[in-house]
Amino acid sequence: MRIIYSPEQLAHAPLRENNRGEIGPAFEQPERARRVLDAIRRAGLGEVEPPEVFGDETILRVHDSGYVDFLRTAYDDWRAIGRRGDAIANVWPVRGLRSDRTPVSVDGRLALYSFDSMTPIGEGTWPAARAAANVALTAAASISQGSEHAAFALCRPPGHHAAADYCGGYCFLNNAAIAAQYLRDKGASRVAILDVDYHHGNGTQTIFYDRPDVLYVSIHADPSTDFPYFLGFADESGDADGRGYTKNLPLPQGSDAAAWFGAFAEAAAAISAYRPDALVVSLGVDTAAGDPLAHFSLDTADFRRLGQQLAAFGLPTAIVFEGGYRIDRLGGDVAAVLEGFDAR
Ligand code: Q9C
Ligand code: ZN
C-alpha cells in the first residue's frame, strides 16, 4: 500500500479549543499525525512518500470558490485588524437570518463559512489544509492510474465535516470528497465513500447528497447525542437524482464491536450492490475504546479486522485519515487497519 504524508500538515497547530464550556487544549493537534507516522514506520508498512502538488481544480469542484478564498485569506484579514490568536466565529446566520450576502467583516465571513467554534483558523491552517488535499489527491491518483491497488492518505487536518462552503468539526477542506471527485474525473463511473469515523461526515454527505455517481455510507454515533447533531440520521437517504445513494447507520453511545461490525455488514452490502469502480474510506479511529471524544469500544484487533474487511471489497481503495484522539493508541490503531488490509 502506498502511504502519502506531508509535514506541511503540521503547520495547523491550534493551541486551544472551545469544548464542554471551557477553553482547553486542542484535541486535533499535530502530534496526532506524528503518532500515526511513527506507528506506520515501526510496523514497516512501506515507504512514506510526499504528495505531488496539484492545482485547485478538483478542490473547486467540491468547494465553493468564495469559501476557498475565505480560507486562504481569513487569518491575514484577522491579523490585519489587530486580532491576536486564532480566528474563530462568535456569531452564526441561523434560521431567518440572511446567508445570501458575503459580509465584508472577517467576523461576518467566519460566521458565514463555519458551523462551530471548535475549528480555529491560525497562521498555518490554510497551508496545512491545502497540503492535506494534495495528500488525498496523490492517494487518489495512485489508485486511479492502476499503479497501486490501495493507498493511505495520512491527512491532517481531517476533512469529513467540511461541506462545500463551511468548515467545522476540526475540518477545512474535505479530503475524502476531493479524492472521490478526482476518481470520478479520471474515469471511475461510480465511487463509494465508506465513512467509519465515530462522527457522521456531514460535509461529505451534503457534497454528494443529490448525486447518484458517489455513494455515501456512514457508520457513526447517533446525532441525537453526538456531534454534528443536525445531520446523520437514518432517514436521510439522498435527494433528487441522489435519492437512494446516501446511507446512514447511526448507533447508540456505548455500542460494542459486535454492534459496530453488524452495521459494517449492512454498509458492505450497500457498497457491493452499488458496484463501484473505486472505494474511498474516511478512516477515523475515534471509535476506539477510551477515545476522549467518543463512546464506542473497538480495540486494536477490531481495527485489524476492519482492514481485512475493507480489503475484501477487492476495489481500488484510497484510505483517508479523519478523526481519532486517544493519542497513546491512535498510531497503533491506524497501523492495525493498514496491516489488516495488506494481510488479506
Ligand atoms: N464534547 C472529527 O472527528 N466534538 N471531528 C466533541 C465533545 C468533536 C470531531 C464534543 C467533534 C469533531 C474529524
Ligand atoms: Zn470523529
Side-chain angles (χ1 to χ4, degrees):
M1 162 151 9
R2 242 183 122 187
I3 295 157
I4 319 296
Y5 170 75
S6 167
E8 290 180 63
Q9 299 177 115
L10 304 176
H12 173 62
L15 292 173
R16 303 187 314 151
E17 77 174 46
N18 180 14
N19 195 17
R20 299 177 182 147
E22 289 181 62
I23 309 289
F27 286 96
E28 204 295 285
Q29 355 146 342
E31 181 65 10
R32 297 178 58 250
R34 288 196 206 99
R35 294 290 179 120
V36 174
L37 193 61
D38 283 355
I40 285 174
R41 290 204 166 118
R42 211 171 311 124
L45 287 164
E47 205 188 313
V48 177
E49 297 173 62
E52 292 154 44
V53 176
F54 288 79
D56 286 345
E57 53 291 341
T58 310
I59 293 171
L60 293 171
R61 284 173 60 65
V62 163
H63 291 285
D64 173 82
S65 64
Y67 171 63
V68 173
D69 288 343
F70 159 77
L71 287 180
R72 195 182 276 124
T73 59
Y75 185 74
D76 287 345
D77 295 347
W78 178 260
R79 290 301 299 250
I81 56 169
R83 301 287 174 72
R84 296 142 82 55
D86 292 340
I88 305 179
N90 64 355
V91 59
W92 284 275
V94 298
R95 293 162 295 285
L97 300 183
R98 288 183 61 176
S99 51
D100 60 326
R101 302 170 63 90
T102 304
V104 172
S105 155
V106 67
D107 294 296
R109 281 178 291 130
L110 283 162
L112 181 65
Y113 290 127
S114 71
F115 80 105
D116 65 42
S117 66
M118 69 178 86
T119 310
I121 298 177
E123 187 172 18
T125 299
W126 171 252
R130 188 62 185 74
N134 281 340
V135 169
L137 283 162
T138 304
S142 65
I143 66 159
S144 148
Q145 292 149 198
S147 61
E148 279 284 344
H149 181 64
F152 176 58
L154 204 184
C155 291
R156 181 191 168 271
H160 75 152
H161 297 301
D165 63 357
Y166 54 86
C167 59
Y170 314 148
C171 303
F172 302 92
L173 294 175
N174 193 315
N175 306 310
I178 291 165
Q181 184 65 51
Y182 181 91
L183 290 162
R184 279 284 295 114
D185 293 344
K186 293 295 169 184
S189 303
R190 288 176 306 283
V191 176
I193 301 176
L194 173 57
D195 189 331
V196 299
D197 187 278
Y198 176 83
H199 306 96
H200 176 253
N202 60 287
T204 315
Q205 174 171 309
T206 62
I207 287 165
F208 297 114
Y209 204 58
D210 58 3
R211 288 171 48 173
D213 58 326
V214 178
L215 173 73
Y216 178 70
V217 181
S218 179
I219 305 163
H220 53 267
D222 185 346
S224 310
T225 56
D226 283 83
F227 186 87
Y229 304 112
F230 303 105
L231 212 66
F233 297 92
D235 64 354
E236 298 156 14
S237 58
D239 196 15
D241 291 344
R243 209 166 282 275
Y245 298 99
T246 290
K247 188 176 182 68
N248 283 323
L249 296 161
L251 294 170
Q253 286 190 359
S255 292
D256 62 9
W260 197 89
F261 280 101
F264 186 95
E266 259 190 84
I271 289 165
S272 297
Y274 184 64
R275 294 182 302 106
D277 294 325
L279 176 66
V280 174
V281 178
S282 267
L283 176 64
V285 293
D286 39 11
T287 48
D291 188 284
L293 297 181
H295 306 274
F296 289 169
S297 52
L298 302 198
D299 63 22
T300 302
D302 295 320
F303 285 110
R304 169 174 274 274
R305 179 177 169 202
L306 167 59
Q308 289 169 341
Q309 296 201 6
L310 293 175
F313 288 109
L315 291 165
T317 301
I319 300 177
V320 178
F321 187 44
E322 303 280 2
Y325 307 97
R326 186 176 164 173
I327 206 79
D328 61 324
R329 266 196 40 194
L330 185 60
D333 287 343
V334 172
V337 174
L338 305 185
E339 273 168 2
F341 193 104
D342 282 346
R344 206 179 169 281

